[in-house]
């Protein structure tokens, strides 16, 4: 078993979805967790993490972009919960045999066709 460090480098480049997928697969494999990572179980874990993310905003009302009034601890908590959601989503896509990056780009193209800029430009005051 590889004793890999998951500590991000200070000047690390952006990580790809494929790199995250591979790291998560290894992380689960070396811990013997693959047996628990069925699509259903991962989906339920993802929903739980979305709930935890929602709790952060539950009583704050609207917040400004960039979260200028949040403490370092609040920002760190948010970062952890957003990361949990991302990691479970990447793992779910992998276990289901989906290419999440390709699927997201494809969906973006579909949305661009469904909601063309010209239609919204006419609606602006």
């Amino acid at each position: 078993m590889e004793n890999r460090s998951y500590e991000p480098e200070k000047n690390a480049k952006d990580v790809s979805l494929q790199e995250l997928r591979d790291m998560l697969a290894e992380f689960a494999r070396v811990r013997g967790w693959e047996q628990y990572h069925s699509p259903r179980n991962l989906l339920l874990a993802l929903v739980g993490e979305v709930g935890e993310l929602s709790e952060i905003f539950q009583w704050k009302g609207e917040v400004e972009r960039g979260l200028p009034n949040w403490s370092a601890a609040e920002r760190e908590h948010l970062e952890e919960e957003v990361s949990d959601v991302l990691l479970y989503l990447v793992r779910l896509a992998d276990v289901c045999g989906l290419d999440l990056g390709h699927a997201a780009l494809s969906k973006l193209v579909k949305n661009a066709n469904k909601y063309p800029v010209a239609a919204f430009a006419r609606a602006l005051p």
Side-chain angles (χ1 to χ4, degrees), residues 3-40:
N3 190 10
R4 181 177 190 165
S5 170
Y6 294 93
E7 188 69 30
E9 299 174 23
K10 287 215 183 241
N11 296 324
K13 64 177 178 55
D14 287 342
V15 65
S16 71
L17 290 175
Q18 182 176 359
E19 289 169 321
L20 275 177
R21 182 198 67 204
D22 293 346
M23 290 174 72
L24 285 166
E26 177 189 348
F27 190 89
R29 183 186 58 74
V30 299
R31 288 164 176 79
W33 292 353
E34 289 175 316
Q35 61 184 320
Y36 306 112
H37 285 188
S38 67
R40 177 190 171 276

